[in-house]
Amino acid sequence: EDKVVQSPLSLVVHEGDTVTLNCSYEVTNFRSLLWYKQEKKAPTFLFMLTSSGIEKKSGRLSSILDKKELFSILNITATQTGDSAVYLCAVEASGGSNYKLTFGKGTLLTVNP
Amino acid sequence: DSGVTQTPKHLITATGQRVTLRCSPRSGDLSVYWYQQSLDQGLQFLIQYYNGEERAKGNILERFSAQQFPDLHSELNLSSLELGDSALYFCASSVEGRGREQYFGPGTRLTVT
């Protein structure tokens, strides 16, 4: 059974801090790893990672994938209160023409002023 | 706003009943995915349709079924409802059959009493 484990489950920081969120996975036929941000509504797409060692960056957020060690990290620098959300990691795997997307339980990030 | 619409926003019904949730994907997207999100289970992939055909199945119960119509909108039917079916049901869409960059709708909150 495919597994995606995120850590920590929750994190409380102060504005300006840098945080690192972790996602490890065990899947068969890995295709990609995705990060989503979920505030009080639907998840919104952040990054898709398919290759090891190539950092994806968007403003203060960045992410990298290690396909050998089967994990990814999401970094947020100079955190702001608007970064408070649940961050979801999902892994896409394929089997023939089908595919499967498995989500982790998420990391709840709270950024205090 | 992701461009994915879901109706209704909220639904309250009794155990044993049947409900239908509706989703319209973003313009141009051929794939529709259904997810269930509950507090204890996190985000669970249910089923995917691509251009009218079922493409992948996740943790979907036999009491649940879905379809995608020629105009690409999709419906998720939930029958013989149980208290444990109370959850937030998301629809997402993507251009391709491989569900990488998915765009989520606002969700339908189902409460079974």
Side-chain angles (χ1 to χ4, degrees):
Chain A
E1 185 182 326
D2 295 344
K3 252 197 308 192
V4 177
V5 178
Q6 292 186 245
S7 63
L9 287 179
S10 67
L11 191 53
V12 180
V13 300
H14 290 291
E15 264 191 322
D17 288 351
T18 292
V19 298
T20 298
L21 311 183
N22 303 290
C23 175
S24 63
Y25 61 91
E26 290 177 32
V27 301
T28 306
N29 297 324
F30 173 90
R31 285 187 60 87
S32 66
L33 186 143
L34 303 102
W35 284 98
Y36 287 86
K37 177 183 180 182
Q38 185 173 23
E39 298 171 87
K40 289 184 181 175
K41 41 190 178 175
T44 53
F45 173 81
L46 293 175
F47 297 112
M48 181 181 77
L49 303 151
T50 55
S51 301
S52 272
I54 298 175
E55 186 182 52
K56 291 274 180 106
K57 203 167 166 62
S58 174
R60 295 175 295 103
L61 277 67
S62 63
S63 183
I64 198 159
L65 173 68
D66 186 327
K67 286 166 77 173
K68 187 178 172 189
E69 300 297 331
L70 308 183
F71 78 91
S72 173
I73 58 171
L74 175 68
N75 278 322
I76 309 175
T77 58
T79 51
Q80 301 171 358
T81 55
D83 295 326
S84 296
V86 173
Y87 290 84
L88 296 166
C89 169
V91 174
E92 180 193 18
S94 66
S97 61
N98 281 349
Y99 97 101
K100 197 174 168 185
L101 195 61
T102 305
F103 280 81
K105 296 248 173 146
T107 293
L108 173 61
L109 174 65
T110 303
V111 181
N112 290 325
Chain B
D1 184 357
S2 67
V4 178
T5 60
Q6 288 187 248
T7 56
K9 284 186 181 173
H10 301 277
L11 199 47
I12 301 175
T13 189
T15 54
Q17 295 299 304
R18 173 189 167 97
V19 296
T20 297
L21 313 183
R22 184 189 166 104
C23 167
S24 292
R26 289 187 323 156
S27 176
D29 285 359
L30 298 178
S31 269
V32 169
Y33 313 79
W34 287 98
Y35 294 90
Q36 179 192 60
Q37 188 173 41
S38 57
L39 282 173
D40 54 340
Q41 292 291 323
L43 198 60
Q44 299 279 317
F45 167 65
L46 296 179
I47 197 164
Q48 179 209 358
Y49 279 82
Y50 177 73
N51 205 19
E53 294 193 2
E54 183 184 303
R55 176 61 68 91
K57 252 184 180 174
N59 302 324
I60 188 164
L61 300 172
E62 284 191 13
R63 300 183 285 108
F64 296 0
S65 64
Q67 53 183 325
Q68 187 180 27
F69 295 87
D71 67 352
L72 300 177
H73 90 272
S74 177
E75 292 180 357
L76 178 67
N77 299 297
L78 315 175
S79 61
S80 303
L81 285 167
E82 301 175 0
L83 295 177
D85 297 327
S86 295
L88 194 51
Y89 290 84
F90 286 111
C91 165
S93 73
S94 69
V95 173
E96 301 175 351
R98 305 283 183 196
R100 275 124 177 249
E101 192 167 334
Q102 295 184 24
Y103 293 86
F104 282 74
T108 292
R109 182 164 294 284
L110 173 67
T111 304
V112 182
T113 62

